[in-house]
Amino acid sequence: MVSSFHGLETSKRAILTQSVALSTIGHNIANASTEGYSRQRVNLINASPLSAPGFNRIFTPGQIGSGVEYSSITRIRDSYLDMQYRRENQEKGLNGIYNATMEAIQTIINEPSDNGVSAVMDKFWNSLEVMNRDPNLLSARVDFIGNAKNMADTFNKIGTSLTTLEGDIAGNIDIKLNEANNLIDGIAQLNETIRKIEMLGDHANDYRDQRDVLVDKLSKIVDVQYTEDANGMVNVYSGGVQVVNGQVPTSLSTADVANITSGEIAGYKKSQTDIIQTRNQLDALVNTLINGKVQVTMPNGYKTSTDMIADNDVTVKDDNGVETTYVAGTTIPAGSKITTSAKFTVDGFNGVHRLGYTLNSPAETGLDFFTLKDPTLPFSIDNIQVNPEIQKDTNKVAASGQYEMNGTNMSTIKGNSDIALALTSLRNLKFEFPADMTSLSTGTTDDYFRAFVSDLGTRSNIALTNYNTSSDLTDNVEIRRQSTSGVQLDEEMTDMLRFQHAYNAAARNMTAVDEMLDRIINSMGLVGR
């Protein structure tokens, strides 16, 4: 028959098992706010029953139960939700960085505002129109030069800000690479710890949670693919590189950045492309305004500043009053006085300004209004300035198209504003812009800048939409993941009461068995004494 002490053993086993369950619940409650913690459950099973001994086993009534025990302590985790979360987290990291960069670019461009490029260009053109009305007025010339310098400085400031932003992004890529490599090292170390624990048959629940947190964080920085081997270690791939092979980490380098397709580093890469695009678009505006081919019409009375080729038939008069007609495409000598309007194709704002004459005595011609800071580079937002000679001497603004000779001295005819008028007309003339910059390839400088702002706004809006979408998807998956793995305090309190009552009942049962044994051991055999 079964041992008299079997009841004690059954009760003891129940007390120990319920105690483990209560300890696990306490562990869950303690980690309710711990990042990445997965709630754990004690898996209870029937203890192996005992067969009642007998002379003839076929007539044995049944097996005698030996109570309860726990087979394992496991964490509640859905690997599919983990995979979903990390996939969406990669896109959230990319879109978050890209959206932040587009917001920074919009802040640099500062449109619309009273200090943005469009406002500065409007002041430049408006001051030119004022000078056109009275080219000899000193205040008009000073205001025009000041607004031109302000426009060039605004472009320079945008260029400097974009360069600074590019430098910040390059530095952040290095920082994120170091951060990713630290996470990779941590995953490899936890792989080794988990392998050692689980090869003994235990479940490394807490270490697995810590490793999952590191994989989650890594997925925000770079693209992540992973598999788990038979030893419980995860092998991680990123940027075409196996960065974790069991317990062996492989660091990512700057050479791997080009192959990273998601995460914050990919967002920085995409941001660099957009900064370059923004710079190229503005460079195209500046270079086209200064040097872009454009046709201007010079009125009757203009004197050619150099040998010129007209786009139409032109009649000129020499000093003796003899008129000569030059067919379109033939060269008109310098100093020829045009008696009919002439159309010339020139190189942008500088090309028109070179046609004019300054107020100096003797008058000068062929002077560029805008010059290069670095002569070895083309015009760009970083490489434009008002000619320093013009900044020093307002008389060197070539607003006149006519001059007269006083002996050997060439003097500008004061009050003439042929060139100022031609410069003013550039505001409404259509230029040819590079076709791959914006949706506008032909138009005025104002049209082009509006197209640029529209393109920037569209890209920024798409960036914000993508970020909001990926953020919502990530948050949604995280909510579902927390509903599965997160600690629910109400549920834990319910289980606590359940296991507490079971513990108390087991203890009461042990007391009852103890009383029975006490009766047998200490009270039986005393009859008749």
Side-chain angles (χ1 to χ4, degrees), residues 455-468:
D455 176 70
L456 178 61
T458 299
R459 286 185 283 139
S460 299
N461 187 57
I462 292 174
L464 178 60
T465 300
N466 289 341
Y467 172 66
N468 288 337

Side-chain angles (χ1 to χ4, degrees), residues 330-510:
T330 58
T331 302
I332 303 172
S336 300
K337 184 176 182 179
I338 295 172
T339 58
T340 59
S341 62
K343 295 181 179 180
F344 298 103
T345 298
V346 297
D347 296 331
F349 197 93
N350 273 356
V352 176
H353 192 263
R354 285 194 292 267
L355 301 180
Y357 303 94
T358 69
L359 289 178
N360 300 91
S361 182
E364 298 178 70
T365 188
L367 195 65
D368 284 337
F369 186 83
F370 292 103
T371 56
L372 298 164
K373 289 184 173 182
D374 183 351
T376 63
L377 300 174
F379 275 105
S380 66
I381 55 177
D382 295 295
N383 201 31
I384 179 177
Q385 64 178 350
V386 176
N387 192 325
E389 293 184 27
I390 293 177
Q391 294 187 54
K392 294 176 183 177
D393 186 358
T394 60
N395 287 331
K396 291 193 175 184
V397 177
S400 176
Q402 299 181 28
Y403 66 87
E404 58 186 1
M405 298 300 297
N406 297 320
T408 59
N409 185 39
M410 184 173 68
S411 300
T412 300
I413 296 179
K414 294 183 178 181
N416 180 268
S417 60
D418 291 345
I419 299 303
L421 178 63
L423 289 171
T424 303
S425 69
L426 294 180
R427 182 176 193 173
N428 299 314
L429 291 183
K430 292 185 177 181
F431 290 85
E432 293 291 333
F433 294 95
D436 57 344
M437 291 298 167
T438 67
S439 58
L440 180 75
S441 58
T442 302
T444 67
T445 53
D446 288 341
D447 291 338
Y448 177 84
F449 187 73
R450 281 192 289 268
F452 159 73
V453 172
S454 175
D455 176 70
L456 178 61
T458 299
R459 286 185 283 139
S460 299
N461 187 57
I462 292 174
L464 178 60
T465 300
N466 289 341
Y467 172 66
N468 288 337
T469 300
S470 59
S471 182
D472 289 343
L473 289 173
T474 304
D475 291 346
N476 180 265
V477 175
E478 177 62 12
I479 290 172
R480 291 163 56 198
R481 191 164 69 158
Q482 285 299 315
S483 67
T484 300
S485 302
V487 176
Q488 304 295 327
L489 292 178
D490 290 341
E491 181 180 349
E492 298 300 324
M493 294 302 294
T494 301
D495 286 343
M496 181 185 295
L497 292 174
R498 182 162 60 92
F499 291 124
Q500 182 183 10
H501 286 308
Y503 182 95
N504 292 339
R508 183 69 187 86
N509 183 65
M510 177 174 283

Side-chain angles (χ1 to χ4, degrees), residues 36-292:
Y37 180 78
S38 304
R39 61 192 175 100
Q40 298 178 14
R41 283 291 175 263
V42 176
N43 299 313
L44 305 182
I45 60 173
N46 298 334
S48 299
L50 300 177
S51 297
F55 293 106
N56 192 340
R57 292 291 302 275
I58 195 170
F59 296 110
T60 301
Q63 295 179 317
I64 299 176
S66 58
V68 65
E69 61 186 9
Y70 63 97
S71 61
S72 61
I73 301 175
T74 57
R75 61 182 190 145
I76 308 301
R77 194 87 181 190
D78 190 329
S79 59
Y80 174 70
L81 290 177
D82 284 339
M83 181 182 66
Q84 264 194 316
Y85 175 81
R86 288 157 188 164
R87 183 173 63 244
E88 299 300 339
N89 201 33
Q90 294 173 167
E91 292 303 310
K92 180 181 179 181
L94 186 156
N95 292 322
I97 294 297
Y98 181 59
N99 179 59
T101 302
M102 295 308 299
E103 289 179 348
I105 293 175
Q106 288 188 96
T107 301
I108 292 171
I109 301 303
N110 197 23
E111 289 291 338
S113 73
D114 294 335
N115 300 313
V117 173
S118 59
V120 170
M121 290 182 68
D122 283 342
K123 292 177 181 178
F124 167 75
W125 291 117
N126 292 339
S127 62
L128 181 56
E129 290 180 1
V130 173
M131 191 184 71
N132 174 48
R133 291 195 288 269
D134 189 352
N136 294 330
L137 187 63
L138 177 61
S139 61
R141 285 174 170 260
V142 170
D143 187 52
F144 170 59
I145 294 173
N147 282 300
K149 186 176 183 303
N150 187 31
M151 183 177 73
D153 289 345
T154 299
F155 282 125
N156 293 163
K157 183 178 179 182
I158 291 174
T160 301
S161 297
L162 290 177
T163 300
T164 301
L165 185 59
E166 285 180 303
D168 291 343
I169 286 177
N172 285 339
I173 288 178
D174 292 336
I175 292 173
K176 288 298 177 181
L177 277 175
N178 290 333
E179 187 177 336
N181 288 332
N182 289 335
L183 294 172
I184 289 168
D185 290 341
I187 293 171
Q189 291 172 10
L190 285 170
N191 269 348
E192 173 65 6
T193 301
I194 292 169
R195 184 187 70 84
K196 289 179 178 178
I197 292 173
E198 296 193 347
M199 68 185 297
L200 300 175
D202 294 329
H203 293 282
N205 296 325
D206 293 322
Y207 289 114
R208 281 180 171 268
D209 284 342
Q210 293 176 25
R211 186 178 65 184
D212 283 336
V213 170
L214 297 186
V215 176
D216 287 347
K217 291 180 177 180
L218 184 63
S219 70
K220 189 176 182 180
I221 301 173
V222 294
D223 57 303
V224 169
Q225 300 83 40
Y226 59 93
T227 58
E228 184 173 333
D229 63 21
N231 295 319
M233 298 188 292
V234 292
N235 298 312
V236 184
Y237 304 82
S238 177
V241 178
Q242 184 172 0
V243 294
V244 178
N245 182 11
Q247 60 197 40
V248 180
T250 300
S251 297
L252 291 169
S253 65
T254 52
D256 300 315
V257 171
N259 299 321
I260 295 174
T261 58
S262 296
E264 291 177 332
I265 290 180
Y268 284 125
K269 280 199 310 175
K270 189 174 181 180
S271 297
Q272 288 176 321
T273 301
D274 270 73
I275 293 173
I276 293 172
Q277 181 180 351
T278 300
R279 181 186 295 279
N280 289 341
Q281 288 173 325
L282 290 174
D283 285 347
L285 171 63
V286 170
N287 196 45
T288 301
L289 172 62
I290 307 305
N291 284 327

